[in-house]
Amino acid sequence: EEVPTLEWMPPPSILQRRGVITGEVGRVSSNSRRAGDILSMLVGIYGSKELFVNEYRMMLADKLLANLEYDTDREVHNLELLKLRFGEMSMRQCEVIIKDIDDSKRIFHNIRSTLENDASTRINEDEEPVMVDAAIVSHIFWPALQKEQFKNHPRIQAKIDQFSIEYAKLKNPRRLIWMKQLGTVQLEVEVYEEDERDGVLTSHVKEVTCTPAHATLLAHFEDNDRWSVDELATETGMSEELVKKRMGFWINQHVIQTTRSSSDLIYTLPSVEYVADSNYGGLTDHREHHRHDDDDDDDPNREQAISLSAHEEEEIKTYESYIVGMLSNLGQLPLERIHSMLRTFVAGSDHRYDKTPQQLAVFLQQLCKEDKLECSPDGFYKLLKKRS
């Protein structure tokens, strides 16, 4: 019988024995083995290395857009580790995303110093200038971003245009295309709230962080203290439902109050007399109406910059264009042949073909319903010839 010793080591994991973890020359430390195990499990969950890298790219983009300080140190460190695991070419798009944020930081500080030194951009010399910063992205390498069109308030738009002009001077002939619905705005607003000590209703100023759409709606109350839903929708270009939903945020912040005028909902700036007399009764009906429209309060901090639906729509359009091209050149094809050709030719890094034959069949049937394709009884698909 052998004498037991303390030098016993457990056998290597099955993943390491099978070569799933990228091996290192010499001994592999337990920390490296553990990190490799986690990455291997994640890749296994997503199904392939490409799907995992694409999901990481979307999460990275959303995280960096939410980072108002342009801090990329941690993301750079993580990216270098992932390069060792997946290779530099696989992480190329992520590298461009981080570089865009670093470049945006330098451009912002350059434009900010220019505007601070330009006294003509201030209405009042004693007034602190309102600063606009921007994350300037290369849309080819970034995931699809949320798209929603509305009209900024003229004072907000003037500041944005000012930034665009300075950028055009700095990076001529490049121009900025603004994603108006993205970003955050820091505002100081006056609210009426009860004092915690004596319960007296008082007015005080507090800082609120919101989206540009929320800021645009509130900015109109500096021009007029009374607006209907229809008027705000006309001024901003938003739908009435979106106006109601976003104004619910300002109502919950005690910045705006609601009243009824016949069948119209009217938004007004609150007065201490109204708040004291109504005890915020005017807010209750609208909150109930707002919850009826949407179970969740409109919290601007919950909004994400990356649009998964838009990304899926772009993928569908890409697949459709390939399918139409195949059938235009080859006439008619069965499901299996279309599936095989898509796997071969859809090689764009942003739109990899990862569908199953069953999912492709559902998509082709949808194109048939839209009168773009037709399916013969023997299972061959071809372009639908429209009768003149």
Side-chain angles (χ1 to χ4, degrees):
E1 182 177 353
E2 296 182 0
V3 179
T5 66
L6 300 178
E7 297 178 357
W8 177 85
M9 291 292 291
S13 67
I14 187 172
L15 292 177
Q16 186 178 352
R17 292 199 302 270
R18 291 179 178 177
V20 176
I21 303 174
T22 53
E24 298 178 11
V25 178
R27 297 181 61 183
V28 179
S29 66
S30 59
N31 289 336
S32 300
R33 192 161 57 233
R34 191 179 302 113
D37 289 343
I38 294 174
L39 282 176
S40 298
M41 285 191 295
L42 289 174
V43 171
I45 290 171
Y46 283 100
S48 69
K49 180 184 74 173
E50 290 77 14
L51 289 176
F52 171 79
V53 171
N54 188 59
E55 184 68 20
Y56 174 76
R57 181 174 66 98
M58 298 180 71
M59 294 174 61
L60 174 66
D62 198 61
K63 183 177 181 180
L64 289 176
L65 288 178
N67 184 357
L68 304 181
E69 303 299 329
Y70 299 101
D71 184 12
T72 60
D73 291 344
R74 185 171 182 180
E75 281 66 35
V76 170
H77 175 72
N78 293 337
L79 180 63
E80 292 301 321
L81 294 177
L82 289 173
K83 281 182 182 180
L84 297 176
R85 176 63 175 85
F86 299 111
E88 289 198 10
M89 290 305 299
S90 297
M91 309 304 297
R92 174 61 179 165
Q93 289 184 313
C94 296
E95 190 174 12
V96 174
I97 288 174
I98 294 177
K99 184 178 183 298
D100 282 345
I101 298 300
D102 291 334
D103 291 343
S104 299
K105 182 178 182 179
R106 289 191 292 270
I107 292 171
F108 164 64
H109 286 300
N110 194 322
I111 293 178
R112 179 175 182 176
S113 61
T114 301
L115 293 178
E116 286 178 345
N117 295 330
D118 187 1
S120 63
T121 60
R122 303 189 194 182
I123 299 176
N124 184 352
E125 292 186 359
D126 297 331
E127 179 185 3
E128 184 178 350
V130 177
M131 298 307 303
V132 174
D133 62 352
I136 303 168
V137 304
S138 307
H139 69 93
I140 297 176
F141 298 94
W142 283 67
L145 301 176
Q146 289 184 9
K147 295 181 180 179
E148 177 193 338
Q149 294 300 321
F150 63 89
K151 293 182 288 186
N152 280 317
H153 189 276
R155 282 192 295 276
I156 297 176
Q157 188 62 43
K159 296 295 182 182
I160 293 175
D161 293 342
Q162 192 180 66
F163 188 96
S164 298
I165 292 171
E166 295 300 326
Y167 178 83
K169 294 177 183 177
L170 189 66
K171 293 288 185 177
N172 189 45
R174 297 183 183 179
R175 298 294 183 270
L176 293 177
I177 299 175
W178 291 85
M179 311 293 287
K180 296 181 179 179
Q181 75 286 358
L182 301 181
T184 58
V185 182
Q186 294 178 335
L187 298 175
E188 290 185 349
V189 296
E190 182 181 12
V191 298
Y192 290 95
E193 292 179 337
E194 292 184 355
D195 192 293
E196 295 180 355
R197 294 170 296 180
D198 51 19
V200 176
L201 200 63
T202 58
S203 168
H204 67 94
V205 175
K206 73 174 182 179
E207 290 189 357
V208 177
T209 300
C210 62
T211 67
H214 289 86
T216 286
L217 288 169
L218 188 62
H220 283 86
F221 287 86
E222 294 182 315
D223 306 328
N224 186 1
D225 60 359
R226 180 183 175 88
W227 292 88
S228 67
V229 175
D230 180 60
E231 290 171 340
L232 284 175
T234 302
E235 287 289 329
T236 60
M238 304 179 197
S239 66
E240 293 188 9
E241 291 300 317
L242 271 178
V243 169
K244 289 181 181 179
K245 180 180 179 182
R246 285 168 172 160
M247 288 303 295
F249 170 75
W250 293 121
I251 291 171
N252 293 336
Q253 294 288 330
H254 301 168
V255 177
I256 298 296
Q257 68 188 27
T258 59
T259 57
R260 286 278 178 183
S261 176
S262 64
S263 60
D264 294 333
L265 190 64
I266 305 298
Y267 299 107
T268 60
L269 293 174
S271 62
V272 66
E273 294 81 8
Y274 175 88
V275 175
D277 292 341
S278 63
N279 194 23
Y280 290 100
L283 307 184
T284 305
D285 294 338
H286 179 66
R287 277 201 291 264
E288 292 175 356
H289 173 70
H290 174 59
R291 290 193 185 104
H292 183 266
D293 293 336
D294 189 355
D295 292 336
D296 295 327
D297 291 334
D298 184 43
D299 184 358
N301 294 323
R302 295 180 186 176
E303 297 186 6
Q304 291 187 332
I306 305 303
S307 175
L308 297 179
S309 60
H311 185 75
E312 291 172 355
E313 288 177 5
E314 286 190 5
E315 283 189 340
I316 289 174
K317 290 180 181 178
T318 302
Y319 300 155
E320 181 179 338
S321 66
Y322 273 95
I323 292 171
V324 170
M326 292 176 202
L327 299 180
S328 299
N329 295 326
L330 302 176
Q332 58 181 7
L333 294 171
L335 172 66
E336 294 77 10
R337 181 78 184 279
I338 296 175
H339 178 66
S340 175
M341 294 180 71
L342 285 174
R343 292 182 61 183
T344 303
F345 295 115
V346 182
S349 58
D350 199 25
H351 301 294
R352 299 181 187 278
Y353 181 72
D354 55 359
K355 308 301 179 185
T356 63
Q358 293 78 13
Q359 291 173 322
L360 177 60
V362 173
F363 178 56
L364 293 175
Q365 289 299 321
Q366 182 63 33
L367 293 179
C368 292
K369 291 180 182 179
E370 296 174 1
D371 293 332
K372 297 178 180 178
L373 304 180
E374 59 179 337
C375 183
S376 62
D378 54 356
F380 280 77
Y381 291 91
K382 61 182 179 179
L383 293 177
L384 180 65
K385 297 181 179 179
K386 296 183 179 180
R387 297 177 182 177
S388 56

